[in-house]
Amino acid sequence: MIRFKDIDEDLASVVFSSKKLLDLGFEFKYSLEEMFAGAVETCREKGLIPLSHEKQAAEDKLVGAVETCREKGPIPLSHEKQAVEESKENGGVPADSEAPWFIN
């Protein structure tokens, strides 16, 4: 049994009952199991709880991507990124630009 620090072991247990509701004629539409299963399914549909195989697949994909990056080494800058870097060096004006640029 798990014991928690600073928790009184002599606390009375809280008991919930639907007896009064049932005595008044209330009928539950779904069982507790159906409500629990529905809540879990809804959370999975919204992506709050991943399916165990989806979680494993995502982890495997991440590990594979990391390994690929390690094998291939640094990724060279793309042409677009190189142009951005060059424009930063030229005060915001692309090196091969023919259009007028106004710098405030």
Side-chain angles (χ1 to χ4, degrees), residues 1 8 10 13 15 21-23 29-30 34 41-42 48-49 52 54 59 63 69 71 79 82 90 92 94 97 102:
M1 180 176 187
D8 184 5
D10 297 325
S13 296
V15 178
L21 288 172
L22 295 173
D23 289 346
K29 186 173 181 180
Y30 302 101
E34 290 170 320
E41 184 60 33
T42 299
L48 300 172
I49 302 175
S52 60
E54 289 175 349
E59 289 173 1
V63 169
C69 288
E71 291 169 4
H79 295 294
Q82 285 176 349
N90 295 326
S97 174
F102 301 97

Side-chain angles (χ1 to χ4, degrees), residues 40-95:
V40 170
E41 184 60 33
T42 299
C43 289
R44 283 187 174 153
E45 288 171 0
K46 294 182 180 284
L48 300 172
I49 302 175
L51 296 173
S52 60
H53 71 276
E54 289 175 349
K55 182 179 177 185
Q56 185 61 47
E59 289 173 1
D60 291 346
K61 187 176 181 179
L62 178 61
V63 169
V66 169
E67 288 301 316
T68 300
C69 288
R70 284 185 182 147
E71 291 169 4
K72 292 186 175 186
I75 300 171
L77 291 174
S78 67
H79 295 294
E80 294 84 8
K81 187 159 184 172
Q82 285 176 349
V84 169
E85 293 299 321
E86 288 172 4
S87 73
K88 286 180 185 176
E89 293 169 5
N90 295 326
V93 180

Side-chain angles (χ1 to χ4, degrees), residues 1-9 11:
M1 180 176 187
I2 297 174
R3 306 253 187 238
F4 295 99
K5 180 181 173 185
D6 299 326
I7 300 296
D8 184 5
E9 296 290 327
L11 287 175

